[in-house]
Amino acid sequence: MVQCKKTPKKITWKSIILSCYKTNSSLQETEKEVLKQGSFQRLSLSDITKSSSVEDISNSFTGSKLYTFTLEELREVTHNFSRSNLLGEGGFGPVYKGFFDDKLRLGLEAQPVAVKVLDLDGFQGHMEWLAEIIVLGQLRHPHLVKLIGYCCKDEHRLLVYEYMARGSLENQLFRRYSAAMPWSTRMKIALGAAKGLAFLHEADKPVIYRDFKTSNILLDSDYTAKLSDFGLAKDGPEGEDTHITTCIMGTQGYAAPEYIMTGHLTTMSDVYSFGVVLLELLTGKRVMDKTRPRREQSLVERVRPLLKDQRKLYHVIDLRLEGQFPAKEAQKVAALAYKCLSHHPKSRPMMTDVVKILDLLQDFDDIEKGPFVYVAMDEGDDRDHARRKGGKLKERKPTKKKLQYRGTP
Ligand SMILES: Nc1ncnc2c1ncn2[C@@H]1O[C@H](COP(=O)(O)OP(=O)(O)OP(=O)(O)O)[C@@H](O)[C@H]1O
Ligand SMILES: [Mg+2]
């Protein structure tokens, strides 16, 4: 995570943190849903600085239900935040699996949940926690992860989400020793994530997500993609403004070049990050490869120039797919990634257009492969390139394979 160099205004931090302590007792004792149905105007992320308490903020929420939980309740459902319940850990802190029974709250059904716990020694803090509540407490969509509730006790900050059975796209796409993710699944995920991003951009008050990457795309059991982690989200420009200016934060490799250079942020910065993820889906390779020489580490720099060339394109599509993808559609996806990754923000497509294009590319029937086939090769594997006669991709019949391991993915 690239950290912002500027420090947030002191009054803002202090007043909100203090006010959270102040309202703590009411948060603890209550079992009420803090988010009320209503027809209020959606609260902006910039309003965080003006708000005096998390309860004041919650009063402005519309149409969603968020529950407050005590630390003890969340400790109990995660078996005292045990290691065996640990799902992963990011910049905010560790994430644990828990299970709610139907007696915990009236109206809250029995379900598995993911509990994210703020690391008190980490870089993130109350503001990121609050941003998550402000965005996910007010915006609900099939492609945004559902926030069920939160806990605010002393300095502790926790968030409770619906449990996403397949974890993050990062874990699924780059997992070793498992079958390659089929083409149709990749396209389903790309479409779902695009819909989530388009929804944010098209909201009455547009939201710039700012942290679009494979680890923030969560997958449920049928690979429906949902965006998570809104700690870096920003309100989009309003009125005559074309961009907002903000300190540079995000993750190396995913942030748009103009944003890194100038701090100017637009929804098109998200489109660039989307292009990066699309490239990772196409190639099965990570955005940064620190094992390569410095000049070759960036996937975008390495691969973007090849996307427009039909012959070269086939050398970069994930070899683990073993030709199980539709050639014409793959070209369209590559062309889309190329546009999203344009250096000129205005040349990038809007996310609504990305959704339209991806919607038309969903019909490929993968041929079922065995569950434990693993083939991994480098971009430059000559044996495989020889199969791709004349640069054109020949669809290979699936063969019964044993576990094969050839090089690193
Ligand atoms: N709702 C959820 N359901 C299931 N697993 C989850 C859920 N939320 C997070 N996880 C798991 O926890 C891991 C850590 O998530 P988190 O968002 O905190 O960090 P990250 O995305 O890996 O890093 P970063 O801080 O840069 O965003 C994820 O990769 C995922 O495997
Ligand atoms: Mg994350």
Side-chain angles (χ1 to χ4, degrees):
M1 175 87 57
V2 179
Q3 292 296 327
C4 182
K5 293 205 174 65
K6 289 182 200 163
T7 43
K9 286 177 202 159
K10 274 185 191 152
I11 11 160
T12 309
W13 274 93
K14 210 170 170 185
S15 59
I16 293 175
I17 292 170
L18 284 174
S19 64
C20 193
Y21 292 151
K22 236 176 12 198
T23 56
N24 229 351
S25 53
S26 62
L27 283 170
Q28 284 170 58
E29 73 200 20
T30 184
E31 287 202 349
K32 73 180 185 239
E33 295 163 7
V34 294
L35 301 186
K36 301 174 177 72
Q37 310 275 342
S39 55
F40 300 98
Q41 256 249 307
R42 185 165 71 76
L43 196 73
S44 298
L45 283 154
S46 53
D47 293 336
I48 294 181
T49 55
K50 295 168 206 150
S51 304
S52 58
S53 77
V54 74
E55 272 203 328
D56 290 345
I57 290 169
S58 68
N59 285 337
S60 303
F61 290 178
T62 61
S64 340
K65 293 174 181 178
L66 281 191
Y67 295 86
T68 55
F69 299 100
T70 65
L71 198 52
E72 290 66 38
E73 284 171 335
L74 298 181
R75 194 169 274 145
E76 201 177 316
V77 300
T78 58
H79 299 124
N80 202 15
F81 304 114
S82 80
R83 271 208 74 78
S84 57
N85 285 43
L86 188 69
L87 294 169
E89 181 153 11
F92 187 84
V95 184
Y96 299 89
K97 186 175 180 182
F99 195 86
F100 283 174
D101 64 32
D102 56 2
K103 292 175 200 68
L104 192 64
R105 290 288 185 286
L106 200 65
L108 187 58
E109 60 190 32
Q111 59 185 303
V113 293
V115 180
K116 198 181 264 196
V117 185
L118 176 66
D119 173 2
L120 299 175
D121 298 322
F123 288 110
Q124 297 188 28
H126 183 79
M127 293 299 263
E128 286 80 7
W129 175 82
L130 217 44
E132 189 87 352
I133 294 174
I134 289 201
V135 176
L136 289 180
Q138 299 181 94
L139 296 176
R140 292 273 153 119
H141 187 266
H143 295 287
L144 302 189
V145 71
K146 188 175 166 199
L147 182 67
I148 297 170
Y150 59 83
C151 168
C152 174
K153 161 84 169 141
D154 301 332
E155 72 276 30
H156 300 285
R157 299 288 181 278
L158 294 89
L159 296 156
V160 181
Y161 303 90
E162 66 175 313
Y163 173 69
M164 298 290 286
R166 294 194 189 268
S168 71
L169 172 59
E170 181 184 36
N171 295 342
Q172 290 284 327
L173 186 60
F174 304 121
R175 196 167 49 179
R176 286 168 167 241
Y177 312 116
S178 66
M181 183 184 277
W183 176 265
S184 62
T185 309
R186 297 179 198 221
M187 290 304 106
K188 178 177 179 170
I189 293 168
L191 178 60
K195 283 181 177 172
L197 213 43
F199 170 72
L200 294 175
H201 291 179
E202 298 303 311
D204 280 349
K205 291 181 189 175
V207 173
I208 303 174
Y209 182 51
R210 230 183 6 157
D211 207 13
F212 191 86
K213 57 181 177 177
T214 51
S215 75
N216 282 345
I217 299 169
L218 299 179
L219 304 170
D220 73 7
S221 51
D222 73 348
Y223 292 97
T224 298
K226 304 195 185 190
L227 307 188
S228 70
D229 269 4
F230 291 83
L232 297 187
K234 282 270 170 199
D235 297 321
E238 281 187 277
E240 302 287 288
D241 294 341
T242 55
H243 62 265
I244 57 164
T245 306
T246 172
C247 57
I248 297 148
M249 290 181 86
T251 303
Q252 195 188 9
Y254 290 97
E258 76 283 357
Y259 172 52
I260 295 173
M261 301 282 285
T262 63
H264 290 182
L265 190 67
T266 65
T267 49
M268 289 301 158
S269 321
D270 282 346
V271 178
Y272 180 91
S273 310
F274 181 85
V276 177
V277 170
L278 205 50
L279 205 55
E280 291 184 286
L281 283 165
L282 265 179
T283 61
K285 296 209 159 39
R286 288 178 184 275
V287 60
M288 295 301 289
D289 183 350
K290 299 278 185 196
T291 64
R292 287 173 179 263
R294 197 171 258 278
R295 279 176 47 240
E296 295 172 18
Q297 288 182 357
S298 159
L299 178 69
V300 175
E301 281 174 28
R302 231 167 48 236
V303 171
R304 184 172 181 262
L306 312 179
L307 293 176
K308 290 286 268 226
D309 184 324
Q310 200 186 329
R311 292 166 65 100
K312 290 180 180 158
L313 170 66
Y314 297 128
H315 293 272
V316 295
I317 292 183
D318 194 345
L319 294 171
R320 292 181 303 157
L321 285 168
E322 299 193 300
Q324 292 298 314
F325 60 86
K328 281 245 154 56
E329 278 79 354
Q331 281 170 30
K332 289 181 186 160
V333 176
L336 181 61
Y338 186 87
K339 273 188 108 178
C340 293
L341 293 169
S342 170
H343 274 260
H344 306 291
K346 286 190 179 142
S347 306
R348 296 174 202 151
M350 311 254 291
M351 281 315 297
T352 45
D353 295 327
V354 172
V355 169
K356 281 183 202 149
I357 293 168
L358 288 173
D359 224 356
L360 299 171
L361 304 175
Q362 296 294 312
D363 290 334
F364 183 66
D365 279 331
D366 309 287
I367 296 170
E368 200 62 43
K369 290 194 208 157
F372 297 111
V373 176
Y374 178 65
V375 181
M377 285 166 287
D378 271 329
E379 278 159 31
D381 192 314
D382 290 338
R383 284 166 297 183
D384 207 69
H385 289 165
R387 264 195 248 126
R388 300 163 181 221
K389 299 215 176 94
K392 291 241 174 190
L393 196 87
K394 295 266 282 178
E395 293 221 340
R396 290 182 62 216
K397 290 209 176 77
T399 48
K400 281 188 195 139
K401 282 186 175 290
K402 296 194 192 89
L403 180 72
Q404 288 189 40
Y405 180 76
R406 294 188 268 164
T408 41

